Amino acid sequence: METKNYSSDSGFILLGLSSNPQLQKPLFAIFLIMYLVTVLGNVLIILAIHSDPRLHTPMYFFLSNLSFMDICFTTVTVPKMLVNLLSETKAISFVGCLVQMYFFMAFATTDSYLLASMAIDRLVAICHPFHYNRVMNPRRCLLMLLGSCTISHLHSLLRVLLMSCLSFCASHVIKHFFCDTQPVLKLSCSDTSSSQIVVMTETLAVIATPFLCILFSYLRIIVTVLRIPSAAGKWKAFSTCSSHLTVVALFYGSVIYVYFRPLSMYSVVKDRVATVMYTVVTPMLNPFIYSLRNKDMKRGLRKLRDRIHS
């Protein structure tokens, strides 16, 4: 029997969130609004931080970069999904699929390392306040950012190189709204066992490192805060971490559910919902989470509004 390699002939078909024709336009409207809110909200966070000198601190340096990465992160997948919702072909070339996969993983991994950098910032601020300015100096913050980006892009490059070596024969319909690793691996007629082992091991190392860093940072923070004698002091210390902890829970909860399971446990519907959570919902909610309970951000946004109106 002749094996046809769809990867070089006709690329893939992205099935999307639903194959029901009646849901295409409502889904388009919902995700267009969510995408615009994500871009606008994160742009406002970046502008507010850069326009207010009092927000030129390590925590807000990482937050502005997190907002920028969130814009890039959603832009890799959502615009293509919106086009496909109104298109009958829903096609993506093999090269286009690999490019989307590369940048998606690069920005997602950078997000996780930035969240870890923000946890380290909180650790130093709460546990070693007198050494904060020396430890979290601008040069070190920049090195942390560059290190996050370098590790993330190397991780993405390795993953894409592995995927490019696979053959795709039986089907070229990806049961997802973008080229993610698990649904693409499902289509391969090559022996993917070795690829799965490499992917799981390397992903575990790359993703678990910032996650363990966050856990360690907050364990140290909790121990330090519990030693504070006054209840008001404890509340003040914990309140500076609440926004960050909420984002970490949303991001890592869905990421762990989607990626840290064997391919045999992959579920199309459940994984689509979980993926929407961290690719669309979390980047959209981040500006609200970081601004609603943050007096400094509220002040920065008010100053930005006054500057625009003046």
Side-chain angles (χ1 to χ4, degrees), residues 101 159 163 166-168 174-176 179-201 203 256-271:
M101 188 181 293
R159 182 75 66 87
M163 299 299 289
L166 300 176
S167 297
F168 300 90
I174 299 174
K175 295 178 180 179
H176 215 315
C179 290
D180 202 5
T181 309
Q182 299 286 54
V184 174
L185 274 175
K186 272 279 189 182
L187 300 182
S188 178
C189 55
S190 305
D191 180 13
T192 61
S193 56
S194 57
S195 296
Q196 285 184 63
I197 292 169
V198 172
V199 165
M200 287 286 286
T201 306
T203 301
I256 289 169
Y257 177 82
V258 172
Y259 293 106
F260 291 97
R261 293 177 301 153
L263 194 60
S264 58
M265 293 178 65
Y266 175 74
S267 166
V268 175
V269 177
K270 289 181 181 178
D271 281 43

Side-chain angles (χ1 to χ4, degrees), residues 70-91:
D70 280 344
I71 294 170
C72 298
F73 185 41
T74 52
T75 301
V76 169
T77 57
V78 177
K80 178 63 177 174
M81 178 181 68
L82 293 174
V83 170
N84 286 348
L85 284 168
L86 299 182
S87 171
E88 292 184 3
T89 58
K90 306 182 189 299

Side-chain angles (χ1 to χ4, degrees), residues 30-94:
I30 291 167
F31 281 95
L32 176 62
I33 292 168
M34 291 174 76
Y35 177 66
L36 293 175
V37 170
T38 299
V39 173
L40 179 62
N42 283 290
V43 165
L44 286 174
I45 291 289
I46 294 168
L47 291 176
I49 291 170
H50 285 272
S51 64
D52 189 347
R54 284 178 292 186
L55 296 179
H56 293 175
T57 62
M59 183 175 77
Y60 293 108
F61 168 77
F62 290 123
L63 178 56
S64 64
N65 281 284
L66 182 70
S67 293
F68 176 72
M69 289 299 162
D70 280 344
I71 294 170
C72 298
F73 185 41
T74 52
T75 301
V76 169
T77 57
V78 177
K80 178 63 177 174
M81 178 181 68
L82 293 174
V83 170
N84 286 348
L85 284 168
L86 299 182
S87 171
E88 292 184 3
T89 58
K90 306 182 189 299
I92 185 168
S93 67
F94 181 63

Side-chain angles (χ1 to χ4, degrees), residues 151-224:
I151 293 169
S152 302
H153 283 274
L154 288 174
H155 163 67
S156 299
L157 183 62
L158 174 62
R159 182 75 66 87
V160 167
L161 287 173
L162 282 172
M163 299 299 289
S164 66
C165 296
L166 300 176
S167 297
F168 300 90
C169 321
S171 172
H172 63 152
V173 178
I174 299 174
K175 295 178 180 179
H176 215 315
F177 61 91
F178 71 100
C179 290
D180 202 5
T181 309
Q182 299 286 54
V184 174
L185 274 175
K186 272 279 189 182
L187 300 182
S188 178
C189 55
S190 305
D191 180 13
T192 61
S193 56
S194 57
S195 296
Q196 285 184 63
I197 292 169
V198 172
V199 165
M200 287 286 286
T201 306
E202 192 262 345
T203 301
L204 187 64
V206 171
I207 301 298
T209 300
F211 183 63
L212 291 173
C213 180
I214 292 167
L215 283 179
F216 171 77
S217 298
Y218 276 105
L219 285 173
R220 286 284 309 276
I221 287 168
I222 289 167
V223 170
T224 302

Side-chain angles (χ1 to χ4, degrees), residues 122-168:
R122 292 298 82 207
L123 168 68
V124 178
I126 293 171
C127 302
H128 308 284
F130 298 112
H131 302 288
Y132 181 76
N133 290 330
R134 180 176 60 82
V135 175
M136 299 303 293
N137 59 67
R139 181 176 176 273
R140 187 161 290 162
C141 291
L142 183 60
L143 286 173
M144 289 169 75
L145 173 64
L146 292 175
S148 301
C149 294
T150 302
I151 293 169
S152 302
H153 283 274
L154 288 174
H155 163 67
S156 299
L157 183 62
L158 174 62
R159 182 75 66 87
V160 167
L161 287 173
L162 282 172
M163 299 299 289
S164 66
C165 296
L166 300 176
S167 297
F168 300 90

